[in-house]
């Protein structure tokens, strides 16, 4: 069966990774969570006491980072699997900060694009349809209101047994929305050829069903 590339973009907490993971499993495609790469770069800076607000310092240290993405949302940094450290809520805001730096984006995007050379990838992030795989056969842009996204993020943190404070989660998502939408380099935007799905009032299962129908449609049009 012919394979396509699927780009899933949207703001924080909208359900991108759960949805993308399920779609990939269903189609037997490769799933890539690109946010993990930005989180790993932020984690490296924190571990090495590099000031995340100092763009030049962050960039000068990129050559010390060997990032390897493994299947199923696992990432290793300089040969150590650091995935379990990356889900903490405070890492996400630091990731958003360094994700605004052009060179950091180039560093991550270059790796992401290699995964998309062969068709059959479901990749999620903020700039997948606009920058990473602009020729993806299917582009989905997910949205949901802030309350729903906060609730989903809390469930995710609970599942990962990570302590959280509700107000912090809410404010964190709000702040990341601002950073991701308003940054100069590769901001979060809906491409004209992306299909928007508002997931506020429908279940994740329904969203997955909708996307799988769109995939069938695209494959039969190829
Ligand atoms: O998707 P996740 O919330 O794990 O991403 C962490 C941060 O990395 C986001 O808040 C965003 O600023 C950044 N990011 C990005 N581009 C991507 C994926 C994530 O800028 N493709």
């Amino acid at each position: 069966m012919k394979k396509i590339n699927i780009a899933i973009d949207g703001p924080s907490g909208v359900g991108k990774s759960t949805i993308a993971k399920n779609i990939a499993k269903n189609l037997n495609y490769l799933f890539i969570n690109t946010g993990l790469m930005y989180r790993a770069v932020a984690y490296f800076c924190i571990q090495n006491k590099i000031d995340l607000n100092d763009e030049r310092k962050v960039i000068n240290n990129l050559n010390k980072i060997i990032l390897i993405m493994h299947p199923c949302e696992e990432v290793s940094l300089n040969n150590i699997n650091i995935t379990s450290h990356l889900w903490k809520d405070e890492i996400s805001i630091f990731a958003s900060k360094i994700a605004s730096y052009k060179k950091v984006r180039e560093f991550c995007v270059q790796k992401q694009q290699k995964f998309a050379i062969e068709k059959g990838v479901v990749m999620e992030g903020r700039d997948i349809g606009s920058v990473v795989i602009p020729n993806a056969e299917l582009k989905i842009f997910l949205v949901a209101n802030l309350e729903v996204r906060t609730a989903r993020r809390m469930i995710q943190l609970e599942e990962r047994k990570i302590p959280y404070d509700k107000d912090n989660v809410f404010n964190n998502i709000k702040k990341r929305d601002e950073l991701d939408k308003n940054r100069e380099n590769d901001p979060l935007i809906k491409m004209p050829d992306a299909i928007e799905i508002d997931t506020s009032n429908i279940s994740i299962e329904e969203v997955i069903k909708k996307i799988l129908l769109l995939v069938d449609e695209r494959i039969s049009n190829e």
Side-chain angles (χ1 to χ4, degrees), residues 34-35 38-39 95-96 99 105 125-127 153 176 180 183:
T34 59
Y38 295 96
R39 286 172 183 262
S96 267
R105 301 206 67 78
R126 308 292 188 288
D127 58 342
R153 179 63 84 198
R176 282 207 285 153
D180 292 347
R183 69 176 172 227

Side-chain angles (χ1 to χ4, degrees), residues 41 111-112 135 164 172 201 212:
V41 174
K111 294 183 197 306
Q112 293 155 12
N135 59 351
Y164 64 85
N172 196 323
N201 299 310
L212 286 173

Side-chain angles (χ1 to χ4, degrees), residues 159-215:
E159 281 169 358
R160 290 178 179 141
K161 298 188 172 45
I162 296 170
Y164 64 85
D165 171 83
K166 187 180 175 196
D167 288 345
N168 279 349
V169 176
F170 179 88
N171 291 328
N172 196 323
I173 291 183
K174 213 166 146 205
K175 184 152 184 217
R176 282 207 285 153
D177 278 0
E178 277 159 29
L179 282 169
D180 292 347
K181 282 185 195 153
N182 300 319
R183 69 176 172 227
E184 194 180 325
N185 303 307
D186 313 341
L188 170 68
I189 43 159
K190 176 183 172 277
M191 293 302 282
D193 57 346
I195 296 166
E196 180 170 312
I197 303 177
D198 188 336
T199 73
S200 305
N201 299 310
I202 52 173
S203 68
I204 293 289
E205 289 70 31
E206 279 176 85
V207 181
I208 293 167
K209 241 191 231 165
K210 258 184 193 225
I211 298 177
L212 286 173
L213 281 176
L214 289 166
V215 173

